[in-house]
Amino acid sequence: MPEISVTIKGGEAQQLNQGITVADALKKLVSNKARKQILAVKVDDQPVDLTAQLTADSVLEPVTAASDEGLEILRHSAAHVMALAVRQLFGEEVKVAIGPAIEDGFYYDFDRSEPFTPDDFEKIEARMAEIAAARLPFERREASVAEAIEFFDKQGEKYKVELLREIDADTVSLYRQGEFTDLCRGPHLPDSSWLRVFKLLRVAGSYWRGDEKNPMLQRIYGTAFFDKKDLKHYLDQLEEAKRRDHRRLGKELSLFTIQDQIGPGLILWQPRGAMLRQLIEDYWKKEHYRHGYELLYTPHIARQDLWQTSGHLDFYGENMYSAMEIDDVKYQLKPMNCPFHIGVYKSHKHSYREFPIRWCELGTVYRYERTGALHGLMRVRGFTQDDAHIFCRPDQLDEEIYNILDLNLHILKTFGFDQYDVYLSTRPEKYVGSDEHWELSTDALKKALEKKGLAFQLDPGEGVFYGPKIDIKIKDQLGRSWQCSTIQVDFNLPERFEMTYTGDDGQEHQPIMIHRALMGSLERFVGVMIEHYAGAFPLWMAPEQARIMNITDDQAQYCEAVYAKLRKAEVRVDKDLRNEKLNYKIREAQMMKVPYMLIIGEREKEDGTITVRKRSGENLPPMTPAEFVELIRSECEEGKDGNK
């Protein structure tokens, strides 16, 4: 039998029989102890099962339980085991759709007439444990597309058949475990016994292929780990995430509301939430002024022709709201602010000496999101972007991107975010503009990231249709990532709108346009901050910094005087003069996450002082209202500066 050269990555090659399985090759290449941790391998960087045959010279890279790839394989296999358990428990009338691994676990979509219940979860988990104990192997085979269609059609698996009819390939791979066969690329675990630590989490409705015109399926979510401690930690994190859920806290802290009568995905800011938003906006405006930006305000609608010229109707039309007719002319709500800033630019001629021009706007835009995708403040239909556009000469591009990054990270850190993942997204399949411009833009973004010393990942093909971009995903206290900041270079819109400036040669030239949002949208950013701080905001951005409370009605008049002094000094203060027990008032203030409680009894009234209690429960020595104002000012400045 012919021999092939097989090598463990970083090790020495061995000559083995052609056609040997990966599992048998590993027996000759690694120790028994090491082999017990290997659940798959990469062959020349392609993941395969241990049952795969080696037919040519190969370099093997083991995939172990300790790796991210190993965890993904475990979870993908868990989805198959769950599907098998569901079919065994509820019969073949339950049709299966897709069941991938996802970031924190796995899911599988089922078409079943009856809803799944918590009792069903217990039964499914018990059956999954039985399947795991049975050590059922994951058996892979290849079949022609026609053969696979015939196989699944006989089983009535219409969703698999639909997927197969769209596959542009001669063959596909199928995985069988027990009596359940699935369409899948793999790889999978050697057998089900590896699946020992798992938990089903919830069920949710999901339209087939995300289209509301298609059947509604039931999506069962679960997670799996190799270690019980990891599962416990994850479940604890889920509980903490529930405690921090911005939708619950937003209601409890009276920050915002969403009402069906107004419309889904449209936010009503309550006074406390409006104050929080104002504090963010005021800081944002001051920082931009300090960094050479000028503020703009633009309309909420524009003629449809504008969106045709900008390309939004062609490339973004499905996310825009339908046109409205006014005086026989069609208008549409704006999904973006860019064309308006271009309109300001074109209101007069420009010279090369004016550049860079930096304009910013807290501009409210409107984008259609499917009802099922809406999520509190995180995914809405009307939101305010912290938008800016920079117009510059080609020789200024590198420095402007670097300056944007510098301001970006400074503002994020001030709000308490100093952990993030950075992505450089390159040209997508559907794009406009010349290859030369794309290369120039991508190179400028890359150089700015390198100059700033930021580690980044390439995200091939994920740029916007008009240019490459940098995305910054901030991490909250639970380590979760949130898309916020984006920086995009654009040669397309200046060309479409025939933007020019007079160069030092007296000729007309086309400026470069940089799109930029640091927080992404105020709605999402506030939502992330609520969860990051669990509603207990730092003093400088707390919508209510202090609450005055009396012990008896005898101190009410003095409380009113203190309240007036603090308001005049611009302390964000409220008062609770109800005829309630002091402990009750304190508890309510703590539940509202108020940083300071100012307690006034008869002694404080006589001395002209206040007793200060922190929301943590710590009591400070009595002080005058003026001293408290200085304490607030000092702590606010320290809070901002400490994050710079």
Side-chain angles (χ1 to χ4, degrees):
M1 183 177 292
E3 292 188 334
I4 56 174
S5 174
V6 183
T7 310
I8 283 287
K9 191 171 184 179
E12 295 183 2
Q14 287 200 31
Q15 299 301 306
L16 303 176
N17 289 336
Q18 187 180 42
I20 190 172
T21 66
V22 171
D24 287 338
L26 289 174
K27 290 178 183 178
K28 299 179 180 296
L29 294 168
V30 298
S31 67
N32 288 337
K33 183 178 180 181
R35 200 169 68 250
K36 288 179 180 179
Q37 295 299 314
I38 300 174
L39 50 90
V41 299
K42 291 181 183 177
V43 178
D44 301 325
D45 290 328
Q46 295 299 315
V48 301
D49 303 292
L50 298 186
T51 55
Q53 291 185 317
L54 302 175
T55 58
D57 293 348
S58 305
V59 177
L60 310 184
E61 181 179 356
V63 176
T64 68
S67 67
D68 291 339
E69 294 97 332
L71 189 57
E72 182 178 357
I73 291 171
L74 172 75
R75 289 169 172 172
H76 192 180
S77 300
H80 282 233
V81 172
M82 179 175 70
L84 172 58
V86 168
R87 290 291 292 272
Q88 287 181 348
L89 288 167
F90 303 104
E92 294 186 0
E93 64 271 17
V94 178
K95 303 306 176 187
V96 296
I98 58 172
I102 54 178
E103 184 177 357
D104 294 323
F106 60 89
Y107 69 77
Y108 216 113
D109 288 341
F110 299 99
D111 189 347
R112 181 182 181 230
S113 57
E114 297 295 322
F116 289 105
T117 68
D119 288 341
D120 292 332
F121 274 27
E122 292 182 15
K123 295 174 185 176
I124 297 168
E125 287 179 341
R127 183 56 58 89
M128 289 174 68
E130 292 174 7
I131 295 169
R135 303 179 66 90
L136 293 182
F138 288 85
E139 299 172 322
R140 184 183 189 275
R141 72 178 178 93
E142 291 194 357
S144 68
V145 171
E147 181 185 353
I149 289 175
E150 182 182 5
F151 173 82
F152 285 110
D153 196 33
K154 285 181 179 178
Q155 294 186 335
E157 295 290 4
K158 60 181 180 180
Y159 302 107
K160 301 295 182 185
V161 172
E162 182 178 327
L163 292 173
L164 282 162
R165 292 192 190 282
E166 297 177 7
I167 289 178
D168 183 19
D170 296 326
T171 62
V172 293
S173 57
L174 306 178
Y175 277 84
R176 183 172 74 88
Q177 190 181 43
E179 64 270 30
F180 176 67
T181 300
D182 207 353
L183 172 67
C184 185
R185 284 194 300 265
H188 282 285
L189 299 169
D191 62 64
S192 58
S193 66
W194 288 73
L195 182 62
R196 294 184 290 271
V197 182
F198 59 90
K199 180 72 176 174
L200 300 188
L201 302 171
R202 60 190 174 93
V203 63
S206 174
Y207 289 107
W208 168 237
R209 310 190 87 167
D211 190 335
E212 295 174 4
K213 297 176 183 177
N214 288 335
M216 173 69 81
L217 307 177
Q218 296 186 67
R219 177 171 292 180
I220 298 180
Y221 287 92
T223 193
F225 293 90
F226 288 104
D227 192 298
K228 288 182 179 179
K229 291 180 181 178
D230 293 332
L231 175 61
K232 183 180 183 306
H233 175 72
Y234 176 74
L235 295 178
D236 289 344
Q237 289 284 84
L238 284 184
E239 287 303 311
E240 180 62 18
K242 289 179 184 177
R243 189 180 74 84
R244 292 171 177 260
D245 191 318
H246 77 282
R247 294 167 297 180
R248 180 179 66 81
L249 288 173
K251 182 178 181 180
E252 291 178 358
L253 302 180
S254 298
L255 298 175
F256 69 92
T257 184
I258 303 170
Q259 298 177 2
D260 287 339
Q261 188 176 21
I262 304 296
L266 301 174
I267 306 302
L268 298 175
W269 294 94
Q270 296 178 336
R272 291 168 63 87
M275 175 58 75
L276 174 61
R277 175 171 168 160
Q278 180 184 325
L279 292 166
I280 295 170
E281 291 184 7
D282 288 348
Y283 170 77
W284 185 90
K285 289 175 183 177
K286 288 178 182 177
E287 285 301 304
H288 279 73
Y289 184 78
R290 289 201 315 113
H291 285 80
Y293 287 78
E294 294 177 287
L295 191 65
L296 300 181
Y297 290 98
T298 61
H300 290 236
I301 63 172
R303 289 174 179 260
Q304 191 180 66
D305 291 349
L306 181 74
W307 309 113
Q308 192 72 61
T309 302
S310 69
H312 286 100
L313 278 180
D314 294 331
F315 290 91
Y316 206 74
E318 63 187 26
N319 298 102
M320 295 177 66
Y321 282 97
S322 301
M324 62 189 87
E325 198 163 293
I326 305 172
D327 297 333
D328 298 323
V329 177
K330 289 185 176 180
Y331 286 77
Q332 283 187 270
L333 286 167
K334 65 176 178 179
M336 297 181 186
N337 302 299
C338 340
F340 295 98
H341 291 199
I342 292 173
V344 176
Y345 180 94
K346 294 194 69 176
S347 63
H348 64 274
K349 291 182 66 65
H350 297 275
S351 162
Y352 73 97
R353 297 179 184 276
E354 298 175 51
F355 292 105
I357 296 172
R358 305 185 186 105
W359 288 335
C360 62
E361 176 184 12
L362 292 165
T364 301
V365 298
Y366 303 89
R367 300 178 187 175
Y368 172 69
E369 295 282 357
R370 288 189 174 94
T371 302
L374 298 174
H375 180 75
L377 294 173
M378 305 302 193
R379 187 68 69 90
V380 295
R381 288 176 172 167
F383 59 92
T384 302
Q385 283 186 308
D386 68 314
D387 216 347
H389 295 95
I390 293 91
F391 303 98
C392 65
R393 305 188 307 263
D395 62 291
Q396 297 170 320
L397 181 60
D398 292 0
E399 183 178 1
E400 283 306 302
I401 295 172
Y402 178 83
N403 289 340
I404 292 169
L405 280 173
D406 204 45
L407 175 60
N408 199 150
L409 300 185
H410 162 68
I411 286 181
L412 290 178
K413 190 173 183 183
T414 301
F415 284 110
F417 300 103
D418 55 8
Q419 299 293 320
Y420 29 73
D421 293 319
V422 183
Y423 298 86
L424 175 58
S425 301
T426 58
R427 185 174 60 204
E429 288 185 15
K430 191 177 179 181
Y431 68 95
V432 295
S434 69
D435 291 348
E436 178 186 356
H437 283 164
W438 274 88
E439 289 173 11
L440 176 65
S441 304
T442 305
D443 187 55
L445 293 172
K446 183 179 179 182
K447 285 195 290 188
L449 288 170
E450 291 173 344
K451 182 180 178 182
K452 189 65 181 170
L454 290 173
F456 64 92
Q457 301 177 45
L458 278 178
D459 204 357
E462 291 302 314
V464 287
F465 69 88
Y466 52 76
K469 61 175 180 170
I470 292 171
D471 286 324
I472 299 178
K473 297 182 179 181
I474 59 177
K475 291 189 176 182
D476 65 14
Q477 284 285 354
L478 299 183
R480 299 171 300 178
S481 293
W482 302 95
Q483 172 62 54
C484 285
S485 312
T486 186
I487 304 168
Q488 304 164 357
V489 179
D490 185 2
F491 286 86
N492 173 57
L493 284 183
E495 185 176 333
R496 280 178 173 264
F497 282 94
E498 299 179 346
M499 299 172 66
T500 61
Y501 67 90
T502 304
D504 58 0
D505 58 0
Q507 302 298 312
E508 294 300 297
H509 299 269
Q510 180 181 298
I512 299 174
M513 184 176 186
I514 305 173
H515 306 251
R516 185 238 71 181
L518 307 185
M519 294 181 283
S521 82
L522 288 181
E523 284 73 12
R524 173 179 283 200
F525 194 72
V526 169
V528 173
M529 285 207 306
I530 291 171
E531 299 200 3
H532 182 63
Y533 290 109
F537 300 109
L539 184 67
W540 75 270
M541 69 173 87
E544 181 184 353
Q545 295 173 317
R547 183 175 297 184
I548 299 169
M549 49 192 72
N550 58 332
I551 295 178
T552 70
D553 289 342
D554 292 339
Q555 299 93 45
Q557 188 174 352
Y558 177 63
C559 287
E560 292 285 3
V562 172
Y563 174 77
K565 287 180 181 178
L566 297 184
R567 293 277 289 198
K568 190 174 182 180
E570 298 184 356
V571 175
R572 297 186 292 278
V573 62
D574 205 344
K575 55 190 175 182
D576 185 352
L577 306 184
R578 295 174 298 167
N579 186 20
E580 297 282 356
K581 292 183 178 180
L582 180 62
N583 286 341
Y584 178 80
K585 295 180 182 181
I586 290 173
R587 186 165 61 251
E588 278 206 343
Q590 287 177 321
M591 290 178 63
M592 293 298 288
K593 317 288 186 181
V594 180
Y596 285 105
M597 284 142 274
L598 310 183
I599 301 167
I600 295 176
E602 198 60 29
R603 184 177 62 181
E604 287 80 10
K605 173 185 170 183
E606 292 175 0
D607 295 344
T609 61
I610 52 178
T611 292
V612 180
R613 178 187 175 94
K614 290 186 173 183
R615 64 184 164 202
S616 63
E618 178 187 357
N619 289 313
L620 301 182
M623 61 184 73
T624 65
E627 289 171 334
F628 180 71
V629 169
E630 287 306 310
L631 173 68
I632 290 288
R633 287 176 178 168
S634 174
E635 188 175 331
C636 285
E637 288 304 314
E638 185 180 337
K640 283 186 187 179
D641 293 341
N643 285 319
K644 290 182 180 179

